[in-house]
């Protein structure tokens, strides 16, 4: 049921955060993430904090929205009492689990609570994740009416054999239907794809990309399958029942994705994310990569405000106990020191296309830039006119494949 918590300090029951979190808050966006920790069945590869009906230890899905709303209301009180100015949310993101397992009016109530408590900036991005088999037109219309702007469907693959290995429950033919309904309802659409599933061939992946592109979504995420410890997939691989694609094949998958998406008019803006234009980038995810502030509501959700990071108790039963007792659901937290904040800044900004300004790197990191250009890992500025040596670092295609190595070199000290 999802991996262990990070190691941190115990969090106080009143949830108050150090006053240092307020510094510079007026320059940072504020987002709200609402976790919905339920799935009908667990996919074999997934270690997200999510629970099927038999794992709920007596808590009811139908009570969840009210509990999450208690945390939304407490969040605003905690920020004010901690001296962090309340700001309206620039983005709201419902993730899971499967948010759309709840009736639409439960998501709407939670969204209204965010609006009533924090306010929502005009033109905010409001997204929900959805499984293709858990929504219909009426559901999506109800979301749109309440202010949702975007839906992100977990398509993963168009190939039945690959979907079966991933233990996905949806029929690939369902995807065009739900995308059509989302469009009819007036919502922007994103599709999530996974590549590198055991047994997947490059032709399978080409078919999935072709199918995804033919739906004309505004945004596509393509994630390399991570074999998470403790999952059924990891056990199947350990026992030799499934074989993981090697690194070369993974690189071929990525290159094919980038070429096909580029030809179809999608531009990358983060290593695993492509959009038709700037307006359709995921503003919520960009705020994570830019180390903005966000409050994560729900079991296991993580929050970050001004260098203070905390995470909630994981099980929905433990979460319900805490919020119903009027206590903070935070299980632990840490206040990031300057060195850790800098490492995270480089790690996250390097992976997005807007990149990291060279001038903000350490002197030794700056000295690596010429070598990284020589090695073909960052753009020399000739393609788009941005000179990396004096300006902003943008990864090349090879650099995106080796992003972790680039980050290590930029963090040289
Ligand atoms: C919480 S899930 C999305 C919502 C919904 N539950 C679904 O699966 O359709 C978010 C996305 O994470 C990705 N994901 C989950 N586990 C992954 C793994 N082990 N490796 C790569 N991607 C993964 C999938 O693409 C999935 O669509
Ligand atoms: S439906 Fe989504 S969250 Fe649920 S188990 Fe599958 S990938 Fe994980």
């Amino acid at each position: 049921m999802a991996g262990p918590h990070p190691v941190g300090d115990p969090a106080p029951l009143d949830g108050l955060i150090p006053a240092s979190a307020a510094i510079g808050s007026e320059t940072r966006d504020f987002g709200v993430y609402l976790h919905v920790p339920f799935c009908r069945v667990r996919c074999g590869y997934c270690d997200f904090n999510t629970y099927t009906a038999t794992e709920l230890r007596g808590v009811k899905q139908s009570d969840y929205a009210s509990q999450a709303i208690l945390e939304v209301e407490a969040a605003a009180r905690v920020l004010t009492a901690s001296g962090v100015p309340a700001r309206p949310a620039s983005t709201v993101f419902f993730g899971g689990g499967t948010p759309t397992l709840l009736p639409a009016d439960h998501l709407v109530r939670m969204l209204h609570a965010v609006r009533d408590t924090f306010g929502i900036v005009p033109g905010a991005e409001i997204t929900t994740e959805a499984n293709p088999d858990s929504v219909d037109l009426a559901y999506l219309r109800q979301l749109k009416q309440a202010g949702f702007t975007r839906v992100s469907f977990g398509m993963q693959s168009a190939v039945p054999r690959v979907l079966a290995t991933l233990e996905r429950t949806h029929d690939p033919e369902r995807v065009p239907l739900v995308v059509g309904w989302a469009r009819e309802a007036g919502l922007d659409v994103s599709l999530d794809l996974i590549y590198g599933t055991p047994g997947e061939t490059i032709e399978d992946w080409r078919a999935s990309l072709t199918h995804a592109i033919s739906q004309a979504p505004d945004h596509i995420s393509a994630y390399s399958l991570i074999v998470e410890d403790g999952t059924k997939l990891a056990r199947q691989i350990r026992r030799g029942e499934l074989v993981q694609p090697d690194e070369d094949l993974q690189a071929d998958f990525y290159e094919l994705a980038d070429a096909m998406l580029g030809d179809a008019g999608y531009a990358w803006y983060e290593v695993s994310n492509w959009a038709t234009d700037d307006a359709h980038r995921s503003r919520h995810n960009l705020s994570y990569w830019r180390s903005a502030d966000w409050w994560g509501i729900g079991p296991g959700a993580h929050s970050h405000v001004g260098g203070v990071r905390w995470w909630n108790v994981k099980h929905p039963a433990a979460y319900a106990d805490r919020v119903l007792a009027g206590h903070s659901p935070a299980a632990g937290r840490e206040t990031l020191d300057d060195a850790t904040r800098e490492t995270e800044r480089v790690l996250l900004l390097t992976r997005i296309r807007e990149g990291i300004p060279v001038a903000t790197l350490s002197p030794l990191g700056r000295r690596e830039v010429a070598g990284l250009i020589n090695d073909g890992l960052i753009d020399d500025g000739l393609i788009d006119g941005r000179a990396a040596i004096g300006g902003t670092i943008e990864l090349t295609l090879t650099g995106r494949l080796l992003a972790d190595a680039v980050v290590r070199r930029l963090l040289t000290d």
Side-chain angles (χ1 to χ4, degrees):
M1 224 131 307
H5 275 310
V7 180
D9 302 323
L13 277 184
D14 60 13
L16 289 180
I17 52 180
S20 62
I23 299 169
S25 59
E26 63 289 347
T27 63
R28 294 189 299 266
D29 277 351
F30 177 68
V32 178
Y33 171 79
L34 293 109
H35 189 67
V36 179
F38 311 118
C39 285
R40 203 158 58 73
V41 290
R42 177 180 288 275
C43 309
Y45 60 91
C46 179
D47 89 333
F48 279 67
N49 191 45
T50 186
Y51 301 80
T52 57
T54 57
E55 298 168 334
L56 284 176
R57 292 196 222 140
V59 290
K60 292 206 221 92
Q61 290 182 12
S62 53
D63 292 336
Y64 179 67
S66 306
Q67 295 157 7
I69 288 169
L70 288 176
E71 190 188 356
V72 170
E73 291 165 353
R77 289 196 298 272
V78 164
L79 284 175
T80 307
S82 305
V84 182
R87 283 156 289 163
S90 308
T91 58
V92 183
F93 193 101
F94 288 74
T98 308
T100 47
L101 261 193
L102 296 181
D105 58 300
H106 289 214
L107 301 191
V108 169
R109 275 173 54 211
M110 289 190 263
L111 178 60
H112 284 163
V114 172
R115 187 173 284 128
D116 294 346
T117 309
F118 292 105
I120 293 181
V121 302
E125 177 192 271
I126 303 173
T127 306
T128 186
E129 290 181 339
N131 280 26
D133 49 11
S134 64
V135 291
D136 59 19
L137 177 58
Y139 191 106
L140 293 165
R141 279 205 170 122
Q142 211 179 327
L143 296 186
K144 171 69 184 177
Q145 244 166 17
F148 281 78
T149 61
R150 188 171 177 270
V151 59
S152 172
F153 290 114
M155 169 179 167
Q156 322 307 357
S157 170
V159 178
R161 179 170 41 80
V162 174
L163 288 170
T165 307
L166 292 172
E167 302 193 325
R168 295 292 299 188
T169 53
H170 70 266
D171 183 328
E173 284 165 20
R174 180 98 187 150
V175 174
L177 262 181
V178 292
V179 170
W181 289 333
R183 292 292 190 205
E184 205 175 324
L187 293 160
D188 287 346
V189 174
S190 177
L191 296 177
D192 279 355
L193 296 173
I194 285 183
Y195 61 89
T197 299
E200 184 177 33
T201 64
I202 198 89
E203 287 315 316
D204 291 335
W205 179 228
R206 189 191 304 279
S208 292
L209 286 162
T210 304
H211 197 64
I213 290 166
S214 72
Q215 309 308 312
D218 310 289
H219 183 280
I220 293 184
S221 303
Y223 300 115
S224 125
L225 178 66
I226 309 291
V227 180
E228 304 280 4
D229 284 348
T231 56
K232 181 173 170 194
L233 176 69
R235 289 192 291 281
Q236 288 169 311
I237 289 175
R238 212 175 37 244
R239 291 197 294 254
E241 293 160 17
L242 293 174
V243 179
Q244 241 184 311
D246 63 24
E247 271 180 29
D248 287 347
L249 187 52
Q250 290 282 24
D252 292 346
F253 284 135
Y254 186 85
E255 285 176 7
L256 182 64
D258 194 59
M260 287 181 65
L261 292 171
D263 287 349
Y266 295 87
W268 78 279
Y269 70 96
E270 191 272 347
V271 170
S272 305
N273 288 279
W274 289 258
T276 48
D277 54 48
D278 289 0
H280 289 99
R281 296 169 170 195
S282 164
R283 275 186 269 156
H284 188 80
N285 287 338
L286 277 167
S287 77
Y288 294 150
W289 299 318
R290 292 174 180 147
S291 304
D293 291 348
W294 71 90
W295 196 294
I297 302 289
H302 285 227
S303 302
H304 171 263
V305 178
V308 183
R309 190 156 57 191
W310 66 94
W311 45 90
N312 285 351
V313 291
K314 282 194 153 170
H315 198 280
Y319 178 81
D321 286 348
R322 292 273 197 116
V323 294
L324 291 172
H327 295 149
S328 159
R333 77 167 179 213
E334 58 189 347
T335 301
L336 305 177
D337 59 25
D338 289 348
T340 311
R341 282 181 91 168
E342 177 56 13
T343 302
E344 295 206 348
R345 189 183 73 89
V346 174
L347 192 91
L348 296 168
L349 283 182
T350 303
R351 295 173 66 88
I352 58 177
R353 190 169 197 170
E354 71 191 43
I356 186 158
V358 175
T360 65
L361 292 168
S362 69
L364 284 171
R366 280 204 292 275
R367 242 181 265 162
E368 286 291 318
V369 172
L372 287 164
I373 292 175
N374 266 339
D375 295 344
L377 298 173
I378 61 178
D379 202 329
D380 62 4
L382 296 177
I383 296 170
D384 68 355
R386 288 201 289 168
I389 287 186
T392 304
I393 284 179
E394 179 178 320
L395 296 173
T396 59
L397 175 56
T398 315
R400 278 183 272 153
L401 287 164
L402 298 170
D404 292 344
V406 174
V407 168
R408 274 196 297 278
R409 284 172 64 177
L410 293 175
L411 285 169
T412 314
D413 55 14

